[in-house]
Each structure stands twice: as structure tokens, then as C-alpha cells.
Amino acid sequence: MTNKTAVGTADSGRLYIEDLLSRYPAIAEAEKLAILDFLNKSSALDSALLTCNEAIAENLKAFRQDNRKQLGFTPVNWLIMASILVSVAFAIYYMWDAGT
């Protein structure tokens, strides 16, 4: 697959998702899952291009609001992140204390 073909494939995938979002909320469950998959796996550039499209901005905002559990951090993710941050803080504290 050439780079030009890969770019064309990525663009067509994003355009398909834009089409689905333009019809949101009147979409099928399979189409909803396709949007979720795209938003979870897409590159930062593709996500930014979706966000910048004013024609679908309200529908994208509504979709993200309606599906925030599937798109965002779950309570378990927050707990894991908090544990990591506390561990790093303790490590920094003890290394700082050992250096003085």
C-alpha cells in the first residue's frame, strides 16, 4: 500500500464518519459502533479534522455527550491514574529527601 493510498483510505474513513455524524442521532447501532471505533482509534489529525468541521460540530458534541462512558475515562481508569500519580509523588518525595 502506497502512502497516497493510505491517505485516501484514511480520508474516506473520516468522510464516512462525518456522514454518519451528520445524520446523528438517526443512525443504526452498527453505525454508532463504527463512530465509537473511529473516535477511539483515530489519529489526532483525524480527530481534529472532525472537530473543526462546523457542519457536524453540534452532532459530534451530542454524540460525545451521549456516549461519554465509551469514549472517556471510567472510574477504574481514574483510580489507576490516581494510583500512578501518588506513586510518582512518593518516589519524588523520597528521592528529594534522600538528596538533602
Side-chain angles (χ1 to χ4, degrees), residues 1 6-7 14 20 29 37 39 41-42 52 57 69 72 84:
M1 178 183 284
V7 170
R14 190 186 73 255
L20 295 179
E29 184 66 21
D37 186 58
L39 292 176
K41 295 179 180 177
S42 66
C52 292
K69 276 192 172 186
I84 291 170

Side-chain angles (χ1 to χ4, degrees), residues 10-11 14 38 42-51:
D11 285 344
R14 190 186 73 255
F38 182 85
S42 66
S43 68
L45 177 61
D46 283 331
S47 294
L49 289 171
L50 275 181
T51 304

